[in-house]
Amino acid sequence: MDSSFDEFYMQRCIQLAKLGAGNVAPNPMVGAVLVHEGRIIGEGYHRQYGYAHAEVNCVRSVTPEDRHLIPAATIYVSLEPCAHYGKTPPCAALIVSEKIGTVVIGCVDTFSKVAGKGIEILKNAGVTVRTGVLESACRELNSRFFTFHEEQRPYIILKWAQNRDGYMAAANGTPVRISNHLTDRLVHRWRSEEMGILVGTNTAVADNPRLNNRHWTGKDPLRIVIDRTLKTPRDFHLWKGPAHSLFISERSAAETDTVAIVTADFTQPLLPQLMKILHERKILSVLVEGGAHVLREFIAHDLWDEARVITGHNPLAQGVNAPVLPTVLLNNELILESDLIRYYRNSKKENIT
């Protein structure tokens, strides 16, 4: 088949996969399309963690009158079909049982329980397998998943708002409104798409933030607070549900149904410890919202994958300086009313390219 057709259907797989954003982690986002002689007879994507994978939903979507076409069809999948029993049976076995003759895969799954084993099952059953179709796009689709398994840490997204003079708060640290209501909704959408959201003690105490998702549909992220002495007042939002909180501290304290406390050694570098803690808890991605000191620490240690910088129009004669990123990393920009949002990628991270 012409490679352009492969790319066309794989692009559709990617579109479908994105519909699962925020709902499937710690699993990857996956889309699948079943094609018979140029006609799509089935589509599916992984909708929710713990439930049917993309290939299953794709096969299930085939109408009764088209089911006899399945063995002669080609299934396109953005990620290698799984080969192990987890919360659901292996998708590679499903493809074999449905007698689908050809499988086109966007990228190989480097997760150790799959890592080529799905392809091996297919080939051993006589299935024709083509790989590497829109591979870069398929890897980027699941950059969080790949970073987590290949680098043993969450995918890190830095986010802050600043005014045109580069200030992100008043000189005394008092928070000021910088972004507009449309940008606020976008930020809450970002929260719904990530597993965790992180702030330091100064932000927790000065802002009394909720760090939940109020202006968009979807779940709340895990609220992660770096608080060495548990300085955050107990009547603040971060100690209350229904959103869950994880405090990283050198002190222990009573936990609740929605608040966990993990002790760390603050006399040693903290970020490596934090990455290990979050990896053990299967937190695939973290949106780091501040404050300035915490953001600079992530930048100084080159421990970030994306940065999203909102520039608003609120004037400040002086204030807390926002972190600075090399402008050569500018990837994209978007204007919402008066706000400018710059998106950066860490060019040193191979998993992003």
Side-chain angles (χ1 to χ4, degrees), residues 25-46:
N27 282 352
M29 295 179 285
V30 183
V33 176
L34 196 60
V35 180
H36 178 265
E37 295 184 354
R39 180 169 68 92
I40 294 177
I41 63 173
E43 291 186 335
Y45 65 96
H46 188 23

Side-chain angles (χ1 to χ4, degrees), residues 287-300:
L287 185 66
V288 181
E289 289 211 358
H293 173 73
V294 171
L295 289 162
R296 290 193 186 100
E297 283 295 299
F298 276 90
I299 294 170

Side-chain angles (χ1 to χ4, degrees), residues 11 76 281:
Q11 185 60 52
Y76 292 81
R281 289 174 174 259

